[in-house]
Amino acid sequence: MKHLPSLKNLFYLVNLHQEQNFNRAAKMCHVSQSTLSSGIQNLEEQLGHQLIERDHKSFIFTAIGEEVVQRSRKLLTDVDDLVELVKHQGEPMTGDIRLGCIPTIAPFLLSKVVKHCQSTYPDLTLLLKEDTTERLLDALGKGELDLLLLALPVDTSGFHSMKVGIDPFKLVVHEELTDVIHEPLDYDSLPDESIFLLQAEHCITGHAVSACQLANSAKVNPFAATSLHTLVQMVNSKLGTTFLPQMAIDAGILNDTELKVMQPPGEAPYREIGLVWRQTSSRILTFRTLGLAIQNILEQSDIK
């Protein structure tokens, strides 16, 4: 058998690419800077190609170095999955799951999921990360996360997904405005720039606009909020209206406000909630079992 490069040296290379700094990469790998540097030099000797161009103060990855980094990420992820497969053989609901979730779901659902796992699967630990859909999918592809809880549809090409429920959209208005905003609602009756939405990086904006059939962009206020709680405060100040997911309403986001819930135009607009994981993952049974548990939690919360 050929003398293959060590996984340890590939790990050093991937972390250096991520940190773009030898000192920080060494700390991430829990080794000295000289050990990390020597490991990468050894890797270059084994492969017979320069992976990094160095001078006294900086470095850049060569074209082949970039390719080796990308393939090393996948290789290291596959090795982790292999270890997890053997480790949890016959015991799928044990060990750690690095779960990523978007901000428009996490505050309203994750605590219930964690409590359920603690009581039903005491040997399973959820390690949580909250971020935008785009960044979570990137982390999943790099092997930094195992599983994502997202709002669908999103581009999940290259991943497996499992629908666990749907989350209806509602329109919320200040109760003092209900005299001028009647059901069934007609968007044309609303003032221009009276609908507040989240920043575009939050997928719920696109989902709400599409599901609620909001085609007239003149009705959307140019201010873009960073959270659903900010949207609630804007509407509670009588500045306009917004769309909220039923999940957030059920969790009490409208408590201590003077807001009223209304049905948006369209046939019961909603977003889908789903789990997403890598096609190469060995923990499919774990993820599907967790998905069924989340499905039950959503159904018990009256989200179908």
Side-chain angles (χ1 to χ4, degrees):
M1 180 180 292
K2 295 179 180 179
H3 186 50
L4 300 176
S6 74
L7 294 175
K8 178 175 64 177
N9 290 342
L10 295 177
F11 181 68
Y12 292 164
L13 185 74
V14 167
N15 276 275
L16 179 61
H17 188 273
Q18 175 181 309
E19 298 298 324
Q20 292 294 312
N21 179 279
F22 273 91
N23 185 46
R24 291 197 301 269
K27 289 181 179 179
M28 289 290 293
C29 298
H30 304 290
V31 297
S32 67
Q33 186 171 325
S34 61
T35 297
L36 182 134
S37 182
S38 297
I40 292 176
Q41 289 178 348
N42 180 256
L43 181 61
E44 290 178 316
E45 292 170 1
Q46 288 179 311
L47 296 177
H49 286 280
Q50 184 181 19
L51 305 178
I52 300 172
E53 294 181 12
R54 308 166 177 83
D55 61 24
H56 294 297
K57 295 183 179 180
S58 62
F59 67 91
I60 62 171
F61 279 76
T62 63
I64 189 62
E66 293 282 351
E67 179 67 20
V68 171
V69 166
Q70 299 306 316
R71 296 196 178 207
S72 296
R73 280 201 182 104
K74 183 179 184 306
L75 180 61
L76 292 169
T77 298
D78 288 345
V79 171
D80 284 341
D81 286 341
L82 176 63
V83 172
E84 291 296 314
L85 172 65
V86 176
K87 181 179 179 181
H88 303 293
Q89 184 68 24
E91 298 180 333
M93 304 311 289
T94 61
D96 297 340
I97 295 180
R98 298 168 298 173
L99 174 64
C101 188
I102 57 175
T104 57
I105 293 179
F108 316 113
L109 181 59
L110 279 188
S111 62
K112 297 177 182 179
V113 175
V114 171
K115 288 179 181 178
H116 174 81
C117 288
Q118 288 175 339
S119 61
T120 309
Y121 311 115
D123 295 323
L124 183 71
T125 302
L126 299 181
L127 306 175
L128 308 177
K129 178 180 177 62
E130 181 179 317
D131 212 331
T132 62
T133 299
E134 182 179 1
R135 288 197 282 265
L136 290 177
L137 286 170
D138 181 64
L140 181 65
K142 291 178 178 178
E144 297 169 1
L145 294 171
D146 304 310
L147 184 66
L148 306 182
L149 183 57
L150 302 178
L152 307 175
V154 294
D155 183 8
T156 57
S157 55
F159 301 112
H160 282 310
S161 63
M162 174 185 179
K163 175 184 169 182
V164 296
I166 63 172
D167 187 16
F169 283 111
K170 301 296 182 181
L171 194 77
V172 295
V173 300
H174 195 279
E175 59 185 20
E176 292 185 9
L177 300 179
T178 55
D179 291 338
V180 295
I181 301 178
H182 303 285
E183 292 183 291
L185 180 69
D186 181 358
Y187 290 128
D188 290 335
S189 68
L190 298 177
D192 288 350
E193 299 186 354
S194 63
I195 299 178
F196 288 90
L197 300 173
L198 291 181
Q199 293 175 342
E201 66 184 30
H202 294 279
C203 62
I204 192 174
T205 294
H207 291 160
V209 168
S210 175
C212 298
Q213 301 177 17
L214 176 59
N216 189 349
S217 60
K219 302 301 178 182
V220 178
N221 193 285
F223 171 81
T226 58
S227 72
L228 294 180
H229 289 87
T230 301
L231 290 179
V232 169
Q233 293 307 312
M234 300 298 287
V235 179
N236 201 44
S237 298
K238 308 177 189 178
L239 298 177
T241 184
T242 192
F243 302 106
L244 290 180
Q246 187 69 50
M247 180 187 299
I249 296 172
D250 291 344
I253 196 171
L254 299 184
N255 290 352
D256 301 319
T257 70
E258 299 176 324
L259 302 184
K260 176 183 176 182
V261 176
M262 301 179 68
Q263 182 67 25
E267 298 183 6
Y270 64 88
R271 61 177 180 169
E272 291 186 346
I273 308 299
L275 290 176
V276 179
W277 62 87
R278 290 184 301 279
Q279 292 180 349
T280 56
S281 176
S282 63
R283 304 194 70 184
I284 297 176
L285 180 57
T286 304
F287 300 155
R288 290 197 176 279
T289 301
L290 184 58
L292 291 175
I294 295 174
Q295 194 174 69
N296 289 332
I297 291 171
L298 291 175
E299 290 174 350
Q300 292 169 9
S301 301
D302 294 325
I303 298 176
K304 304 303 181 184

